[in-house]
Amino acid sequence: MTSREAATGRLPWDAADPFPFYEQRRLEGSVVWDDDIGAWLILGYYAARQILGGPGWTSNPLANPNAPRAVRAMDPDIVRRNILTVDGTNHHRLRGAVRDVFTRTFITGLTAGVEAIATETIDHIPAGVEFDFMTDIALPLPIAVAAAWLGLDVDSARLLREESPAISRMLGDFVDPDTVESGTAAFATLLTEFLPLAADRRNRCGDDLLSFIGADPDLELDDVVTMALIIAVAGHETTANLLGASVIRLLTPGPDGVRPIDAIHTIDSRLFAELLRLDGPIQAVGRTATRDHIVDGVTIHATEPVLVVLAAANRDPAVFTQPDQLQPDRAGPAPLAFGYGSHYCLGAALARLEIIVALQKILARRLTFCGNPIWRNTPAIRGPLTTPAVFS
């Protein structure tokens, strides 16, 4: 097989600890070809920003002529309505429909509601009783916030919780046919449930997010529902994994035996940015070149795929001193965990709010581990599967 032929597309790094793989490949350069994946790996911070923020690239997975079979079999209609996989005017149209309600100022206005949900989620767990942090706090919190903001009743919220995992797995793995099939089926189930809701909100607009999206006359109802579902599913999955990984980071003793959380008295935006840099859940995002490029001295030809490895870029030693260490007061450029450029994560401000509120409440209740965390076997989206814990 030549270096440009189709490969398995499977990500070769360890899902729990991918960083040694990144650093080993970084010895070859910031832009390296990977035969197993069949794509260029973009490991450098500024190389990543060049691709994510510049023209001549597409997010559409169907644009890669050597994409794995499961990718090529995807429903094109889902791709063209998905804000994560469209570009240009179509992306601008979809993003414009919700831009006003994802500003930091607007999200700040949701603080009281997020605090109330966090209090209900966290405070009902009694002290001294072992529980699983992921199952009982990290996953329920962001999905409850999403359900409340979308104005869902109990049954619709329950269905969203049940079907979201299959869609999340598909968003993180377009290679496995079974995963794509299950995710597509789950998406179809939610689409059937939410289409009548969207139609009703378009006629009787409320103050919820689904009503706001539905009020945009440039969007078809399928666009409205797809947008709402992607926001809810992708947002809750990444927030839950970041919250879980952040708790592990803060509660794990360092070489001196001291837990970072014991020296932290408040959770602020700078600490959040450092946790995001170290443990952002999205490991890599795909792009395909639509013209020839030179990236950090390497020529990438039109139609060739790249994986922008966000987690590696965020630990680029040429940009971040002691990149593997938690430095709560670290200065420097913003991490790329939320992306960069036109596809910068819409829900970044909401995720920041949820994480800061949750960690502040957890800090007050003196959380400790009572067992070793187990990490998910999902290389594209890193996060804990179980984290046994107890409140003091």
Side-chain angles (χ1 to χ4, degrees):
M1 179 176 70
T2 69
S3 62
R4 300 299 182 269
E5 290 175 346
T8 65
R10 296 191 180 280
L11 305 181
W13 52 76
D14 178 9
D17 185 17
F19 307 107
F21 175 88
Y22 302 153
E23 295 316 307
Q24 182 64 35
R25 296 306 308 267
R26 197 194 301 277
L27 297 175
E28 305 167 40
S30 66
V31 180
V32 298
W33 178 263
D34 191 282
D35 281 324
D36 292 329
I37 302 174
W40 293 98
L41 298 182
I42 311 302
L43 306 172
Y45 181 88
Y46 289 110
R49 288 213 322 190
Q50 177 184 338
I51 292 172
L52 296 176
W57 304 92
T58 178
S59 304
N60 187 343
L62 302 178
N64 175 9
N66 292 324
R69 183 179 302 172
V71 174
R72 297 196 299 270
M74 290 180 63
D75 183 351
D77 193 55
I78 293 180
V79 174
R80 75 178 181 85
R81 297 185 190 277
N82 186 343
I83 193 173
L84 303 178
T85 55
V86 296
D87 304 290
T89 56
N90 199 18
H91 180 265
H92 182 77
R93 176 180 66 90
L94 294 173
R95 194 177 183 95
V98 292
R99 182 177 289 113
D100 291 346
V101 293
F102 278 98
T103 63
R104 186 171 295 193
T105 299
F106 188 95
I107 295 300
T108 299
L110 303 178
T111 300
V114 172
E115 288 179 338
I117 293 173
T119 297
E120 181 180 354
T121 304
I122 295 169
D123 287 0
H124 83 279
I125 300 174
V129 176
E130 181 179 341
F131 68 98
D132 178 49
F133 183 82
M134 293 304 297
T135 301
D136 297 324
I137 292 179
L139 286 165
L141 173 60
I143 200 70
V145 171
W149 199 13
L150 287 168
L152 304 183
D153 59 24
V154 173
D155 290 339
S156 294
R158 174 189 53 77
L159 189 63
L160 179 64
R161 286 193 299 271
E162 291 174 351
E163 301 295 340
S164 288
I167 300 173
S168 297
R169 287 191 293 270
M170 178 178 67
L171 293 175
D173 184 5
F174 287 144
V175 175
D176 180 63
D178 292 338
T179 299
V180 173
E181 183 179 353
S182 297
T184 301
F187 199 90
T189 297
L190 290 179
L191 194 67
T192 300
E193 172 77 13
F194 278 69
L195 276 173
L197 294 178
D200 181 66
R201 303 287 173 86
R202 175 162 277 183
N203 294 324
R204 296 187 297 173
C205 189
D207 61 357
D208 56 273
L209 180 60
L210 188 57
S211 292
F212 187 90
I213 302 172
D216 191 321
D218 291 334
L219 299 187
E220 300 175 7
L221 276 181
D222 280 4
D223 294 327
V224 172
V225 175
T226 300
M227 173 76 76
L229 292 179
I230 292 297
I231 289 172
V233 173
H236 104 264
E237 179 77 13
T238 53
T239 301
N241 286 313
L242 177 59
L243 181 55
S246 296
V247 165
I248 293 173
R249 172 76 53 183
L250 293 172
L251 269 65
T252 300
D256 56 0
V258 176
R259 304 183 313 167
I261 200 169
D262 294 329
I264 293 172
H265 304 291
T266 187
I267 309 296
D268 58 19
S269 294
R270 181 168 287 188
L271 174 61
F272 171 81
E274 181 69 346
L275 293 170
L276 185 68
R277 183 187 70 82
L278 285 168
D279 292 304
I282 305 300
Q283 295 301 287
V285 294
R287 298 288 188 269
T288 299
T290 58
R291 59 174 173 80
D292 291 353
H293 296 269
I294 296 178
V295 181
D296 206 5
V298 176
T299 299
I300 299 177
H301 295 287
T303 76
E304 289 186 340
V306 303
L307 270 184
V308 181
V309 189
L310 304 174
N314 285 334
R315 297 186 183 215
D316 187 344
V319 177
F320 302 100
T321 59
Q322 298 180 307
D324 297 330
Q325 293 187 10
L326 175 69
Q327 297 180 13
D329 59 349
R330 183 186 294 273
L336 300 178
F338 284 139
Y340 186 79
S342 62
H343 277 272
Y344 182 80
C345 177
L346 266 174
L350 181 59
R352 181 184 296 107
L353 174 61
E354 292 180 58
I355 297 290
I356 290 176
V357 166
L359 287 179
Q360 197 66 53
K361 292 184 178 295
I362 291 163
L363 177 66
R365 292 207 58 190
R366 301 176 61 190
L367 184 73
T368 58
F369 290 146
C370 52
N372 294 324
I374 297 174
W375 292 82
R376 295 172 42 176
N377 186 26
T378 51
I381 303 178
R382 179 174 177 263
L385 179 65
T386 61
T387 306
V390 64
F391 285 124
S392 302

